[in-house]
Amino acid sequence: MTLQLPTQNNGTHPQKATDSFTISQQKERLENLLYQKVQQGEDISPCIEALYYLASKQTTEDQLQVMWAEVARERSAFNSLQRVIITAFAILGMIAFFNGAFARVKPSAAANPPAVQAH
């Protein structure tokens, strides 16, 4: 048995009409429909099944959002750690380069002034 919610676009695309609503809006519409069916004495089991489906869909979406936030935090932490490691290796490389460059430079004799001898 298929449950169709009332549409406001003359029934042309009932699926698209419900897709544009949030889950809480869909729940509210189903609850209203459920209340109307109870008042009219109609079968309410399709409404209840749809409400259970929306509740589980909301729970799944909430879990996915939590997982996505965790992935984003882990990615951010990894990127930060990667930058720190790259910076540390760059600093160590510069230290090694300058140490090697300064160790090879020999002081020239022309740079030192002649010593004054006392008579």
Side-chain angles (χ1 to χ4, degrees):
M1 176 177 267
T2 304
L3 174 68
Q4 290 186 347
L5 296 177
T7 61
Q8 300 193 4
N9 58 356
N10 299 328
T12 55
H13 296 290
Q15 190 70 23
K16 295 211 182 240
T18 57
D19 286 347
S20 64
F21 293 106
T22 63
I23 290 178
S24 61
Q25 290 171 331
Q26 289 174 345
K27 278 182 174 179
E28 184 178 332
R29 288 176 58 129
L30 271 173
E31 289 168 352
N32 290 336
L33 182 63
L34 179 66
Y35 180 72
Q36 290 171 2
K37 285 189 176 271
V38 166
Q39 285 182 334
Q40 295 171 359
E42 296 180 20
D43 184 23
I44 60 170
S45 58
C47 291
I48 293 175
E49 288 176 23
L51 283 171
Y52 282 131
Y53 168 76
L54 289 175
S56 68
K57 184 177 178 184
Q58 180 67 46
T59 302
T60 303
E61 285 181 4
D62 291 344
Q63 290 171 344
L64 287 174
Q65 286 178 348
V66 167
M67 287 181 359
W68 180 253
E70 288 176 15
V71 166
R73 276 194 302 269
E74 288 174 4
R75 186 176 293 152
S76 175
F78 175 76
N79 288 340
S80 297
L81 180 63
Q82 186 179 23
R83 286 184 187 137
V84 167
I85 290 172
I86 289 171
T87 303
F89 277 114
I91 291 170
L92 288 174
M94 288 189 313
I95 290 171
F97 173 77
F98 287 122
N99 185 31
F102 289 133
R104 290 187 187 140
V105 174
K106 295 179 182 174
S108 67
N112 292 335
V116 178
Q117 295 179 354
H119 292 313

